[in-house]
Amino acid sequence: MYRFLLSRQWVILTLLGLVMIPVMIRLGFWQLHRHEHRVANNKIIAAALKAPPVPVETVTHPGYSVPHKDLYKAVSARGHFDTAHEVVARHRTAGAVSSDDQDGSGGQQVGYHVITPFVLDDGRAILVNRGWIDGGDNPYALPKIPAPPSGEITVIGRLRPDETSSETGIRNVKGLPPRQIMLINSTMLAKQVPDPLLGGYLEMVSAAGRTPTSPALIPEPDHSSIGPHLAYAIQWWLFSAMVPVGWVVLLRRERADILAARAKKAAEEAPREPEDSVPAAAGT
């Protein structure tokens, strides 16, 4: 009855199902881990945003790699801006940033992030992302950059790790126009700034002397959304459960079709009974 399971079609179908089940289960756990990472990331960001700022020089130093636990840590810096070595980061969108430590695409307008070294009182410096400005009509010309507050000031910001292509997906293009960069990275800019650069950079939150024409501050990162990863995990597990169910349904349908075909064939081959002959009526 079930010899059809040895056919080429059913062997391939069965092997395919046996491969798909563990693959989809694994994909479900992958999405679950992404969900757990997102939730943990949100907790880190929420705690960092609520904490009072600490002096930046107590958190980072030249060559320092900002760990994940310090993501968006609130810090303060006392010193002055060095506009002589100011640069702009290309192809940055205006809008919110994601909670996965990557620039988001909440806005569609592309422009620049203004990156200005901030020289601390001890002679070291930290890169400060002062915010977003419009890109203008010529992407190869340095845009007009609003001047930062002058003199000795205190800057409050969120600590960010140095950007890399592997973490952000931003390709580090060579041969850019002067004072334009792709990645905000203290190691890459260390040779262009005369003062020792602390590792990482700051997203400026506030500073005395800002004006309405100052660059638009980077919005606070989203730390409430958990994304669709948990739903995707459940979907993958449901799909894996549907594979054996579907296999059984197809099996029963195939068996029913075979039985129906056999019954029809048997009916066609069964001998027919001869029809009764009707005697002719005798004439009188």
Side-chain angles (χ1 to χ4, degrees):
M1 177 58 65
Y2 293 99
R3 290 180 61 85
F4 64 86
L5 290 175
L6 299 178
S7 66
R8 177 185 177 88
Q9 176 183 355
W10 272 93
V11 169
I12 293 176
L13 181 64
T14 302
L15 291 176
L16 183 62
L18 292 175
V19 171
M20 289 176 61
I21 291 174
V23 169
M24 289 190 288
I25 291 176
R26 186 174 182 84
L27 287 172
F29 278 109
W30 173 62
Q31 289 290 350
L32 178 62
H33 293 156
R34 294 191 67 186
H35 167 76
E36 293 172 343
H37 170 77
R38 184 69 174 266
V39 171
N41 210 49
N42 286 347
K43 291 180 180 178
I44 291 175
I45 296 174
L49 296 178
K50 292 179 181 179
V54 298
V56 66
E57 58 270 22
T58 65
V59 181
T60 180
H61 55 76
Y64 183 70
S65 180
V66 177
H68 191 73
K69 66 179 181 65
D70 288 337
L71 183 64
Y72 291 106
K73 190 178 187 68
V75 294
S76 63
R78 181 72 182 174
H80 64 277
F81 281 108
D82 174 16
T83 56
H85 299 94
E86 189 171 63
V87 296
V88 292
R90 293 167 57 93
H91 297 165
R92 304 297 170 126
T93 54
V97 294
S98 73
S99 63
D100 280 337
D101 192 25
Q102 294 181 0
D103 289 334
S105 56
Q108 300 300 318
Q109 191 174 5
V110 178
Y112 300 91
H113 281 177
V114 179
I115 313 302
T116 312
F118 189 77
V119 183
L120 306 176
D121 291 338
D122 62 7
R124 296 181 297 175
I126 180 78
L127 297 176
V128 175
N129 185 343
R130 294 203 288 124
W132 183 90
I133 59 173
D134 187 276
D137 298 328
N138 187 355
Y140 299 100
L142 187 70
K144 184 178 180 180
I145 304 174
S150 60
E152 191 85 359
I153 62 170
T154 298
V155 170
I156 306 297
R158 298 182 288 260
L159 185 62
R160 301 294 308 276
D162 287 323
E163 293 181 345
T164 62
S165 295
S166 60
E167 290 293 332
T168 64
I170 301 173
R171 189 164 62 95
N172 191 26
V173 179
K174 304 295 183 181
L176 295 176
R179 299 179 65 180
Q180 295 192 25
I181 62 174
M182 295 300 298
L183 296 169
I184 309 173
N185 188 294
S186 61
T187 302
M188 295 179 181
L189 292 175
K191 295 181 180 179
Q192 302 180 32
V193 179
D195 308 294
L197 281 178
L198 303 181
Y201 69 97
L202 300 189
E203 279 181 356
M204 191 166 72
V205 173
S206 65
R210 276 183 51 81
T211 67
T213 60
S214 297
L217 294 177
I218 308 301
E220 185 177 279
D222 173 28
H223 56 281
S224 58
S225 173
I226 60 174
H229 305 301
L230 183 58
Y232 289 161
I234 295 173
Q235 285 180 357
W236 280 119
W237 291 331
L238 288 176
F239 290 157
S240 67
M242 289 170 62
V243 171
V245 173
W247 187 89
V248 171
V249 170
L250 291 176
L251 174 69
R252 294 172 64 111
R253 183 178 298 173
E254 183 84 1
R255 181 178 180 272
D257 290 344
I258 292 174
L259 292 176
R262 288 181 179 179
K264 181 179 180 181
K265 183 177 180 181
E268 292 175 349
E269 294 178 351
R272 296 183 179 180
E273 295 182 1
E275 296 181 359
D276 295 336
S277 58
V278 179
T284 57

